[in-house]
Amino acid sequence: MSSQASAPIGVFDSGVGGLTVVRALMERLPFEDIVYFGDTARVPYGVKSVDTIKHFTAQITEFLLEKRVKMLIIACNTMAAVAADVVKRLADVPVLDVIEAGARSAVAVTKSNAIGVIGTPTTINSNAYARNIHLLNSATRVYSQACPLFVPLVEEGWLDHPVTRLTAHEYLRPVFVEQIDTLVLGCTHYPLLKPLLQEVAGPHITLVDSATAMAEQTAQLLGEQGLANDKRHAPDYRFFVTDIPLRFQTIGERFLGRSLAQVEMVKWN
Ligand code: DGL
């Protein structure tokens, strides 16, 4: 095994939401070490300008490259939508982003070639999902909808709450009119709403969870590039954040699906 293969995977997000991707990675690749970075002091990114997001993304990329990661995963859909080019320019290791992974999964799943995409306003305005889907199949019709209220509802823990159900009906009504058969959950927070969204969407619509899609694509890339860690050891997980806000532990553990140990603070001026 090369020394590169034993290095950790770097994963980053605007806050704790990217832990849904970490959770999927832990399940799919249980022997890989992971270094996570969540910009909890500056979250949310989904309503910020493109220039600001690019600037923050460059800072985080440099931080993780200094940790000698073997690859980088952009877990945040918003960063992937508007700043993936920044990461790819700075990184000398492979870079995967949730949007490419989600688009690929959606195109593989759809039979009617009509796909719905939901995400933050910045992700939806960037049109990044539609662009990635059209690169794979130009005949696909893509119907996008920003759902800004979902992030705070998930952080509030209202995963199965009448207010969230009503909000979902309201947001998704125009998308369902288009006879989609696939709905991409294009935000780190939305996998937690999967049971509720599946209920609202009905059984004929397949939900594509970009966290799971990302874990699958990571496994494939590590295999292809000889970067898989084949040491059968207990993996090392490190979590860096820029702030430890109120309820951080509770919210983080909800996203991760297990206890959140070894959280380290990074102070940026
Ligand atoms: N991580 C963001 C995303 O996936 C959601 C939270 C935010 O707006 O920063 O789009």
Side-chain angles (χ1 to χ4, degrees):
M1 187 170 71
S2 69
S3 62
Q4 272 281 77
S6 58
I9 297 174
V11 183
F12 62 97
D13 178 47
S14 53
V16 286
L19 294 175
T20 51
V21 174
V22 172
R23 179 181 188 161
L25 286 169
M26 287 171 165
E27 282 163 15
R28 180 65 183 80
L29 297 162
F31 301 112
E32 295 294 342
D33 297 337
I34 297 172
V35 181
Y36 180 81
F37 187 98
D39 195 2
T40 44
R42 302 189 291 202
V43 72
Y45 279 23
V47 288
K48 290 191 167 66
S49 73
V50 170
D51 280 352
T52 299
I53 297 167
K54 280 185 191 272
H55 172 62
F56 291 171
T57 304
Q59 261 184 315
I60 299 170
T61 304
E62 277 159 5
F63 178 89
L64 283 173
L65 289 172
E66 276 167 25
K67 299 281 169 226
R68 305 239 164 272
V69 294
K70 63 180 168 186
M71 67 173 292
L72 279 170
I73 295 181
I74 312 175
C76 178
N77 287 259
T78 303
M79 282 196 249
V82 299
D85 55 330
V86 172
V87 184
K88 287 175 184 160
R89 211 169 35 242
L90 289 171
D92 52 359
V93 293
V95 177
L96 289 181
D97 78 67
V98 269
I99 294 193
E100 271 171 21
R104 201 181 287 187
S105 249
V107 169
V109 162
T110 185
K111 293 193 175 64
S112 66
N113 276 343
I115 297 175
V117 177
I118 53 176
T120 64
T122 303
T123 298
I124 297 306
N125 289 340
S126 76
N127 225 17
Y129 268 104
R131 257 184 285 118
N132 274 274
I133 290 170
H134 287 143
L135 279 178
L136 298 164
N137 182 352
S138 58
T140 308
R141 285 167 295 128
V142 181
Y143 302 98
S144 306
Q145 174 69 48
C147 304
L149 292 175
F150 280 169
V151 166
L153 286 169
V154 169
E155 298 210 351
E156 194 56 35
W158 289 8
L159 307 182
D160 183 28
H161 190 287
V163 170
T164 314
R165 189 164 291 108
L166 198 67
T167 309
H169 276 289
E170 198 61 33
Y171 280 144
L172 292 171
R173 195 173 300 127
V175 182
F176 292 154
V177 167
E178 306 296 345
Q179 311 291 325
I180 58 160
D181 70 348
T182 306
L183 180 68
V184 182
L185 310 185
C187 173
T188 45
H189 288 53
Y190 301 175
L192 275 84
L193 293 176
K194 218 171 167 181
L196 180 142
L197 291 174
Q198 189 69 70
E199 201 184 300
V200 171
H204 53 286
I205 296 181
T206 306
L207 302 188
V208 170
D209 166 349
S210 41
T212 314
M214 172 51 87
E216 218 30 70
Q217 208 177 312
T218 305
Q220 197 182 328
L221 180 133
L222 293 180
E224 281 167 7
Q225 305 215 2
L227 285 175
N229 190 340
D230 49 26
K231 270 197 238 130
R232 295 292 175 257
H233 66 157
D236 183 40
Y237 301 134
R238 293 182 74 183
F239 301 95
F240 291 94
V241 293
T242 45
D243 190 18
I244 303 199
L246 210 66
R247 298 193 304 133
F248 170 80
Q249 204 74 17
T250 327
I251 298 174
E253 290 178 359
R254 188 180 301 139
F255 278 95
L256 195 60
R258 61 170 88 183
S259 67
L260 186 55
Q262 266 190 291
V263 177
E264 297 166 61
M265 268 278 274
V266 180
K267 273 272 167 231
W268 278 343
N269 300 319

